[in-house]
Amino acid sequence: MEELNILNNPEPEQEKPLRRPEWLKIRLNTNQNFTELKELMRGNRLHTVCEEARCPNIFECWANRTATFMILGSICTRACRFCAVTTGMPTELDWEEPARVAESVEVMGLQHVVVTSVARDDLNDGGAAIFAATIRAIREKRPMCSVEVLIPDFQGNWDALKVVTDERPDILNHNIETVRRLSDKVRAKAKYDRSLELLRRAKEFQPDIPTKSSIMLGVGETYEEVLEAMDDLRSVDCDIMTIGQYLQPTKKHLDVVRFWTPEEFSSLKEEGMKRGFKHVESGPLVRSSYHAHEQVQHAEANVR
């Protein structure tokens, strides 16, 4: 680990944008599957985090007919400094949306689906009822499909969290996004300890449902701080962790302080597994829902 000691000191923000390294170059693949999936989303008036958050893996995932559905509209009530999703006051609450998501899951023949949302602080339950309705609708249309939800913090409304956990999603995912020291800088309204409490309570409500969280690197964190974040997640019995490189979506967002190397990501995966995670997905292009089905399979294998 001596070669990584330089990471234990925060680095100053860059005066000009860093040049993206070779290992972050993305191969574009707009084959027939990509085109058909895009038309399906448009036809059903659905949103995907793949597009809204400008995910670098959209071409790979869509070409393989997988996607992460984003419910509760496309306007977020928060303005996190890393996220490209539009911020504002939402105007829609579409109770027919769960049925359209389920229909798309059925048409696509998915075996595993991820459902996330914008933050809806304008709603008393933060949109928990729509999450629950979407889980039910998917299972009615395609019972063999496993359902993963990536939820907001519901502003600490644990009754709202229970509405979601009562539907027993196959994976309960909530992201801490960054290390404790940088949380207030990176995230809007969200609190590091509140996120940990959400993951703890999710396990309290449904102990057998795997929980998952994600962190992005490159906004000024140190190696030791990432290890501390791992320890924090394990302290609330989080099962799966994903670690990826932050990429600045626009010039208005946080600058990239440093690009972590593939070797460093591999080292962090080893550290995470040593700490007892059932699975750690760690790499420059990894995102919370990237290869989600494979993550679940690895975690289940490690349980056995």
Side-chain angles (χ1 to χ4, degrees):
M1 300 298 293
E2 291 183 1
E3 69 274 19
L4 298 176
N5 284 344
I6 58 171
L7 302 181
N8 292 333
N9 294 311
E11 300 181 29
E13 295 191 7
Q14 305 296 315
E15 293 183 1
K16 59 182 179 179
L18 297 174
R19 177 174 294 183
R20 187 173 296 191
E22 287 295 319
W23 61 79
L24 281 170
K25 289 188 176 180
I26 303 162
R27 180 181 178 184
L28 305 186
N29 185 356
T30 55
N31 65 10
Q32 183 177 354
N33 282 346
F34 178 91
T35 303
E36 288 178 355
L37 184 52
K38 189 168 185 175
E39 290 175 351
L40 176 65
M41 296 298 177
R42 296 296 172 274
N44 281 344
R45 293 179 288 117
L46 296 172
H47 304 285
T48 66
V49 74
C50 318
E51 293 177 288
E52 302 295 339
R54 304 186 184 187
C55 179
N57 303 310
I58 184 172
F59 298 100
E60 177 186 353
C61 293
W62 281 33
N64 291 323
R65 299 188 73 82
T66 63
T68 298
F69 293 91
M70 189 172 77
I71 60 174
L72 293 164
S74 61
I75 301 177
C76 186
T77 54
R78 301 186 185 182
C80 296
R81 295 190 63 201
F82 66 91
C83 184
V85 175
T86 302
T87 300
M89 182 54 66
T91 58
E92 61 181 301
L93 183 60
D94 186 354
W95 284 97
E96 296 180 358
E97 186 176 49
R100 296 199 306 276
V101 170
E103 179 183 345
S104 297
V105 169
E106 183 181 36
V107 170
M108 293 166 64
L110 298 184
Q111 298 298 317
H112 182 79
V113 61
V114 182
V115 179
T116 188
S117 75
V118 293
R120 290 295 301 263
D121 295 334
D122 59 311
L123 303 175
N124 289 334
D125 71 345
I130 295 288
F131 266 104
T134 302
I135 296 170
R136 290 194 298 270
I138 292 171
R139 289 193 167 140
E140 181 177 343
K141 280 283 189 181
R142 191 165 173 78
M144 69 289 294
C145 180
S146 54
V147 182
E148 176 177 335
V149 292
L150 171 54
I151 60 173
D153 62 17
F154 300 129
Q155 300 187 88
N157 181 342
W158 309 131
D159 289 335
L161 172 63
K162 193 170 188 302
V163 168
V164 177
T165 58
D166 281 351
E167 295 300 327
R168 296 188 55 79
D170 295 278
I171 299 286
L172 191 290
N173 187 350
H174 174 70
N175 293 336
I176 60 172
E177 306 292 4
T178 188
V179 299
R180 180 185 296 275
R181 177 175 59 86
L182 297 174
S183 186
D184 289 344
K185 173 184 177 181
V186 172
R187 307 164 80 198
K189 298 183 181 179
K191 299 297 180 184
Y192 187 86
D193 285 316
R194 187 163 66 194
S195 289
L196 293 175
E197 180 66 7
L198 181 148
L199 292 165
R200 187 192 71 78
R201 289 190 181 246
K203 275 293 187 181
E204 182 180 271
F205 293 150
Q206 299 287 352
D208 60 328
I209 294 179
T211 52
K212 174 178 167 183
S213 195
S214 178
I215 192 171
M216 57 188 171
L217 306 183
V219 293
E221 67 291 318
T222 70
Y223 192 86
E224 286 302 322
E225 285 177 321
V226 178
L227 298 184
E228 289 170 5
M230 288 182 177
D231 292 336
D232 288 339
L233 289 173
R234 288 300 300 137
S235 74
V236 293
D237 201 21
C238 183
D239 299 292
I240 301 171
M241 184 178 188
T242 63
I243 309 170
Q245 171 70 49
Y246 167 66
L247 299 175
Q248 185 184 39
T250 74
K251 293 181 179 179
K252 296 179 180 179
H253 291 82
L254 283 172
D255 291 331
V256 176
V257 175
R258 191 174 76 82
F259 290 110
W260 289 56
T261 67
E263 292 76 20
E264 290 163 347
F265 279 103
S266 294
S267 174
L268 287 170
K269 178 181 176 72
E270 293 178 7
E271 290 290 341
M273 295 304 293
K274 288 177 185 177
R275 282 163 166 75
F277 286 102
K278 295 183 176 67
H279 182 65
V280 177
E281 190 85 10
S282 180
L285 290 177
V286 167
R287 294 297 180 267
S288 184
S289 55
Y290 183 54
H291 291 173
H293 188 44
E294 290 89 336
Q295 293 173 25
V296 176
Q297 290 176 333
H298 285 303
E300 290 175 346
N302 284 332
V303 170
R304 294 193 293 270

